[in-house]
Amino acid sequence: MPSMALRTRFKTLQSFGMDWSPSVVTQYESERTGMRVVVVDQKGPKVLGFFALATEIHDDSGAPHTLEHLCFMGSKNYQYKGVLDKLATRAYSNTNAWTATDHTAYTLDSAGWESFAQILPVYLEHVILPTLTDAGCYTEVHHVDGTGNDAGVVYSEMQGVQNTQGELMELRSKRLLYPQGVGFRYETGGMMEQLRVLTADRIRQFHSDMYQPKNLCLIIVGEVDHGDLLKKLGDFESTIVQDIPPPDAPFKRPWTDSAQTPPLKNSSVETVEFPEDDESSGEIMITFLGPDCNDSLQIGALNVLLTYLAGSSASVLENTLVEKEQVASAVYYSTEFRPDTVIQFSLSSVDTDKLSEVHKRFFEVVKQASSRNLDMDYMLDCIRRQRRVLKASAEASGSFFTDPIITDFLFGARDGSDLRDLASLGEYDLLETWNDAQWRQYLKKWISEAPHITILGKPSAKLSKKLKAEEEARVAAQKERLGEEGLKEMEKKLAQAMAENDREIPREILERFKVPDPSSIHFIDTITARSGVARKMGPLDNPIQKLVDKDDTDLPLFIHFEHTQTNFVHINLIIGTGAIPAKLMPLLPVYIDNFFSTPISRNGETIEFEKVIIELEKDTVRYSIESASSLGNPEVLRIQFQVEIEKYETAIRWLRTMLWDSIFDLTRLKATTARLLSDVPEEKRSGTNVRSPSPRRRINISSIPQKGDSLDYSTIERDREEYLMAYAVEMMIHTSQESITRARSTLVKALYLKRVKRLLEDQPQTIVSQFSEIRASLCQFSNLRVLVIANLEKLSNPVSSWKHLVDSLDTSQPLKPLDSRLARLSEAGRNPGGLAYIVPLATIDSSFALSVAKGPETLEDPRVPSLMVALSYLDAVEGPLWNAVRGTGLAYGTGFTRHIESGQISFNVYRSPDAFKAFATSKKVVEDFASGVTAFDALALEGAISSIVLGFADGQATMKSAGQGSFTRQVIRGLPSDWIDVILKRVRDVTVEEIKDVMRKMVLPVFVAETAGLVVTCAPIMEEQLLNGFTEQGFNIKVKPLAFFQDDYGLKPGDGEDDADDVDEEGDEDDEMTDDGEGEVTEGTEDSDA
């Protein structure tokens, strides 16, 4: 396979396997252009491409980020906006990209090699030879529209993040960490003030400087035909050699040939304000410069040390600052791998008036750790766990190896010697020989005695008002400067640019690329077996079922097995929640957060929670408890263990222990409640509802950002979380108090946990008894279903091992039906329409909209195939909504979602300068298709169906996901095992008239006031224009503060308890959302549970 390089202009630099993963890495280099290629051979239906360029800039212009957007606007031989994505959509593929500080990466995500290979040359031409027109720059980057407001896709994106807490703190940290002339100092996404003046010529120059084949590395993961790949790349190079700089032309390698980061000589502490009306809590960001990313031993040691310090509730920093002293809600860490690796700690939800004090305490703890003997047994556990997690992660994600390969391309030796470190995890073997003195010296060198930059993030209501006033004044001055004629000229200029960008793509170009044969997609097969009550789903006749039958000891427990060639066992216990009294549902956040971090009783002895966590980490790869939303049912709980095969029975014992033998310890309950409550202000400003403790590792598994995303991953995620607050409000409106998702919402925790905190002091046994009642409600045989994903041919006692759990149960109870979101909707959720709200948030500079209407309640609904095609058609990249909304700068994105679990359909507008305009424009697009004013394009319909096929491939991209998908279809949805084949046939048979009919009856209602519930979150400055716009559309829309949607579930404040922060800022206490007892949201009524 690699020998094909001999018959091409590509030479093989190296090829090696790994002693810890079945993947094989092969590295090529073009002798003609210097382009590099790294192939990671892996089994599975997906082929993933990451085309990375080292990109370095010494300003905040945003040229790297804007160029990334513009490369999708056309190329030398495909001079039409959207042609790449239309071709990719037809070929079971998606394109995407991101801009990081040190590189730009373009992604191609395909189902099967045939699809990938078809799109690859076209994509690479867009990267190397893009059109970069003035018109594309005008609409995609920045422009002023006919109303005098700033718009543009990139501008809208950066408007949404520039003044957020994380971005303001991160930017100041970079300014202090790096001097002028070092590229890591700058904001590659672009600052709004610089985007407003960025020119197309500046972007073209940056492309000329950086986008050369010798500065490009293609990373391709999956089942790859090496010979076909090298031939296609050779043919591609022949088409570009006349348009690129000569291969032997001087070229300065970004980063390695540039000014290097000087050592940090002194520590610095600065306070950075961020806009926020709630000034109760802030954040601390502490940054160090660490070891060289190419030193595998030093980086391995860093990974282990960070896990030791802040990897769990038993670790040094988390245990001291979070669990015991409760001065922060969490201590997170992250790393950015560079020649001077960035080490960063974040302390969240710190009392604002204690920021300096807690910062000082952080260093007292780490210095204390470095001055005393370390817990070497725990350190050894951290080393071994790190090794297990890396092996499991390599199996769980196709993109797992992408980060280290990109890092090697940016900073590694050109001979490939640094990349070869991936062949082994030998550094962890060496680390097992390190003694206490070596570890403490390492801790002192890089953290406890190292110079650092600290940013104290301080919330400021005054800054929020100041930014709003300044933006209003700037826009007003801009309108005055332009005048009426100038605004007309802006409108005309935009229309001309759009007309140039939206030239119709000749059909012969699209028709030249045929839809690949679906048989070229190699899906991961799993084999189902059943035991206990699960047998009632129907008999199975296969070799795996026979294996299970041999061990079946008549245990009645519902066990669903999925056999696949995994090296690990994935255990899932699904628990029904219907028996929990509604009034106790809001205690679930504490129960869940406390589940694994609590003392247990073992043989009459109390085992403290730190020892429990240490033992759990020793026996597992991962463990968690959460809702089963990823399995298609958000109203049941899911406990997960991932373990090595020999630990299967041990994991089951842990399940039994944590369910029945855990102790509801008052100290732990108080600590958990206080921590969750302290997170509320941060969650409100960011929109997140779930605490995420996952640490970063040497090889990160990062979800791929949306096309055009920039900045560091934490900023991207924080911006997405801001959008989630619209979902939190929608959940409060459309679900009843019986919904566990609603009960766990920030908007419930804000009030309820405040009351619980008081009761833990005043009536502790009452709260403890309530937790016992929750446990008794959950731990019933009738609530339990088990999913096991494993290689059953290697698994001993697959059924009988569960005797440890079953012995604790009354098995005479019949299995209850699965709880459903549909049954837990409020009246407003069952019949959406009439309720619409605008919720201003001081922490955002953009606007978001979410509307919800009725949809199908089951996947067997005959309308589902036509709805799938309709939404796929509308949502396509470079499709109707993309061109009408994103293409005109009205929003960063829009999208529809089917919610089968709740029988709803939703539409969202994401990060928009005016969510109403984006909403109204989208409605008009759908109306025109539904009425026949706009005709459907046959080629685009083919692309819509291909996207549906790709979606199914995405759901089976790994062995674990394939097993989970099979369980979801058969158990959660009640579908036949061959449902995918059935639905794809139905999808291909859908007619245009059926699509138009479903658009009229099911899609359009999401835009109509009488049939849709609407939530809009926005910057305060946008409130009035949005109110006017949606009112004109017929929505009876009201402006409400976030506190209006809070719910205490009837747990009222005690005497003297202060709820001042939780009521309408204007003091209108009568104006609050209430529940009329049947779930319908009303306003102005008295004495309600809401």
Side-chain angles (χ1 to χ4, degrees), residues 12-55:
T12 303
L13 297 180
Q14 60 182 329
S15 184
F16 59 87
M18 305 181 203
D19 60 15
W20 55 284
S21 167
S23 298
V24 175
V25 175
T26 305
Q27 186 177 28
Y28 302 104
E29 183 179 58
S30 170
E31 297 175 314
R32 185 160 33 170
T33 67
M35 179 168 59
R36 295 211 157 198
V37 183
V38 179
V39 177
V40 182
D41 289 298
Q42 283 186 353
K43 295 291 185 182
K46 301 295 293 296
V47 179
L48 306 177
F50 303 85
F51 314 145
L53 298 117
T55 46

Side-chain angles (χ1 to χ4, degrees), residues 315-326:
S315 61
V316 175
L317 289 166
E318 276 269 331
N319 189 252
T320 303
L321 301 179
V322 178
E323 302 297 343
K324 292 179 178 176
E325 299 178 6
Q326 298 172 31

Side-chain angles (χ1 to χ4, degrees), residues 70-83:
L70 293 171
C71 281
F72 292 93
M73 302 287 282
S75 66
K76 178 183 177 181
N77 292 304
Y78 302 91
Q79 297 189 8
Y80 299 90
K81 172 180 173 288
V83 66

Side-chain angles (χ1 to χ4, degrees), residues 818-839:
L818 285 164
D819 305 300
S820 74
R821 170 64 56 79
L822 191 63
R824 296 179 179 181
L825 295 177
S826 65
E827 177 59 29
R830 289 190 293 270
N831 296 289
L835 293 176
Y837 297 99
I838 291 174
V839 185

Side-chain angles (χ1 to χ4, degrees), residues 131-143:
T131 53
L132 301 182
T133 65
D134 289 344
C137 185
Y138 192 70
T139 59
E140 194 76 6
V141 179
H142 172 265
H143 59 265

Side-chain angles (χ1 to χ4, degrees), residues 239-254:
T239 67
I240 65 169
V241 288
Q242 301 302 318
D243 298 289
I244 61 174
D248 57 354
F251 179 75
K252 180 181 175 183
R253 185 183 176 190

Side-chain angles (χ1 to χ4, degrees), residues 485-766:
E485 291 304 314
L487 291 174
K488 289 181 180 178
E489 182 60 31
M490 292 293 100
E491 188 172 16
K492 179 182 177 182
K493 186 176 180 181
L494 177 59
Q496 290 174 338
M498 289 171 56
E500 181 178 339
N501 290 339
D502 295 337
R503 290 177 301 131
E504 186 175 355
I505 302 171
R507 294 188 67 79
E508 55 268 23
I509 292 179
L510 301 177
E511 290 171 344
R512 197 187 316 155
F513 292 78
K514 303 302 180 184
V515 176
D517 186 344
S519 65
S520 65
I521 305 170
H522 302 155
F523 289 98
I524 294 174
D525 293 322
T526 66
I527 302 173
T528 300
R530 299 172 181 140
S531 176
V533 184
R535 290 177 177 277
K536 294 183 179 180
M537 295 182 63
L540 295 170
D541 183 13
N542 61 63
I544 302 305
Q545 183 64 58
K546 290 180 172 62
L547 276 177
V548 168
D549 291 343
K550 287 180 181 179
D551 184 50
D552 199 332
T553 55
D554 294 325
L555 281 178
L557 184 66
F558 182 109
I559 309 178
H560 179 107
F561 295 98
E562 289 292 335
H563 167 74
T564 187
Q565 299 299 314
T566 174
N567 292 314
F568 298 89
V569 182
H570 303 270
I571 298 172
N572 301 260
L573 181 63
I574 313 301
I575 309 177
T577 59
I580 302 174
K583 67 178 182 179
L584 299 184
M585 283 288 189
L587 283 176
L588 276 176
V590 181
Y591 179 85
I592 290 170
D593 200 87
N594 200 60
F595 188 82
F596 289 110
S597 300
T598 191
I600 62 171
S601 176
R602 180 186 292 160
N603 300 323
E605 178 187 355
T606 297
I607 309 298
E608 293 302 326
F609 84 95
E610 293 95 342
K611 191 171 191 307
V612 172
I613 291 173
I614 290 170
E615 290 184 11
L616 275 167
E617 292 181 344
K618 185 181 295 186
D619 287 336
T620 67
V621 177
R622 295 186 179 93
Y623 57 90
S624 66
I625 177 173
E626 59 196 357
S627 81
S629 56
S630 61
L631 295 177
N633 190 329
E635 296 298 335
V636 298
L637 293 181
R638 174 193 194 189
I639 303 175
Q640 294 187 79
F641 281 93
Q642 182 181 2
V643 296
E644 294 168 304
I645 291 176
E646 62 270 19
K647 293 286 187 176
Y648 176 61
E649 189 169 342
T650 301
I652 296 170
R653 290 181 182 273
W654 272 117
L655 266 175
R656 191 242 173 264
T657 296
M658 301 315 299
L659 283 168
W660 279 278
D661 298 336
S662 58
I663 298 170
F664 295 123
D665 177 75
L666 270 178
T667 301
R668 297 299 306 137
L669 293 176
K670 288 178 181 179
T672 301
T673 302
R675 182 175 64 248
L676 291 172
L677 193 55
S678 68
D679 269 338
V680 166
E682 170 63 19
E683 291 177 3
K684 284 183 176 180
R685 69 176 66 117
S686 70
T688 182
N689 279 304
V690 181
R691 184 167 175 254
S692 176
S694 57
R696 275 63 168 186
R697 291 174 290 275
R698 170 190 173 190
I699 309 177
N700 282 334
I701 311 171
S702 301
S703 60
I704 302 305
Q706 296 299 306
K707 181 180 294 181
D709 276 335
S710 66
L711 315 172
D712 60 277
Y713 292 130
S714 63
T715 302
I716 294 168
E717 195 59 35
R718 187 182 303 275
D719 182 55
R720 286 177 179 165
E721 288 167 350
E722 286 167 354
Y723 178 46
L724 290 178
M725 194 45 66
Y727 276 100
V729 172
E730 184 271 331
M731 187 65 59
M732 299 302 293
I733 296 170
H734 289 144
T735 56
S736 70
Q737 290 188 336
E738 287 75 23
S739 168
I740 69 169
T741 309
R742 185 186 198 275
R744 297 172 63 204
S745 166
T746 300
L747 299 174
V748 172
K749 289 188 291 186
L751 292 182
Y752 193 90
L753 292 188
K754 184 177 288 189
R755 317 284 159 75
V756 170
K757 184 178 180 182
R758 169 179 55 83
L759 290 174
L760 281 168
E761 298 294 339
D762 299 345
Q763 303 175 42
Q765 290 311 310
T766 298

Side-chain angles (χ1 to χ4, degrees), residues 771-788:
F771 279 108
S772 297
E773 187 176 352
I774 289 175
R775 171 160 60 192
S777 300
L778 291 172
C779 299
Q780 301 175 16
F781 175 79
S782 58
N783 285 336
L784 306 182
R785 290 168 174 82
V786 172
L787 163 64
V788 177

